[in-house]
Amino acid sequence: MPKDFFTDPCTKEELERFKEVFQKMPTYNDKGYILSSDIRLLLASIECERTPEQIKAYEDYWNNSFGGIIGIDEFTSVFSSLHDTCETMRLRVSAYDKDGNGFISLDEFLELIKLMIIHEPKLEGISYEQFVKEADTNHDGKVSVEECEKWVQDHIPPV
């Protein structure tokens, strides 16, 4: 039976095996990355069973946050924290601050919430306005990356 990466932490040995499998992907290069077009094959190769919707969300994550490039270190970082959904999402928040201004805009929120819903379906239907109202703790009308991380911790139960 394949391992459930969302409930069981990865061992150091598993992470090393991931690196070996990663390096065998068709688009792997000497800079240590692959293209998101390999994500389905990569997940299958490490026996990580996901729904088509989850795989699509992962492809979108890598495409939108990293220009379709999956670095080996980023990939192993993601997989080492998958068992803790709250931590996974918290760590990913900064990747969604695409313009690097330290705040989560409407467009950035819409991309982030898609990934969050895959892991926590009860977030379906949360609007940007509701997000700002709940997350903007200093009441400046914007949500900083730090405020968003706190909001994620408050809305996704830890494992």
Side-chain angles (χ1 to χ4, degrees), residues 6 15 57-58 61-62 64-66 70-98 103-104 108-109 111-116 119 145-146 148-150 152-153 156:
F6 287 87
L15 291 174
Y58 300 146
Y61 169 72
W62 293 107
N64 296 327
S65 299
F66 300 98
I70 304 173
I72 194 165
D73 293 333
E74 179 67 12
F75 179 77
T76 54
S77 170
V78 166
F79 266 78
S80 67
S81 66
L82 278 180
H83 68 283
D84 186 341
T85 302
C86 180
E87 182 65 7
T88 298
M89 293 292 91
R90 191 189 67 73
L91 292 171
R92 302 302 160 249
V93 167
S94 60
Y96 282 89
D97 178 23
K98 293 180 188 152
F103 297 94
I104 303 298
E108 293 164 341
F109 168 77
E111 289 300 319
L112 176 62
I113 199 71
K114 284 184 211 173
L115 183 63
M116 290 176 67
H119 296 281
V145 168
E146 293 79 17
C148 185
E149 289 173 352
K150 174 74 171 99
V152 166
Q153 288 174 328
I156 297 181

Side-chain angles (χ1 to χ4, degrees), residues 36-56:
S36 61
S37 58
D38 281 345
I39 195 71
R40 288 176 195 273
L41 177 59
L42 179 59
L43 294 175
S45 297
I46 61 172
E47 298 179 336
C48 179
E49 295 179 1
R50 298 290 98 199
T51 67
E53 294 82 14
Q54 288 170 320
I55 292 173
K56 174 77 169 103

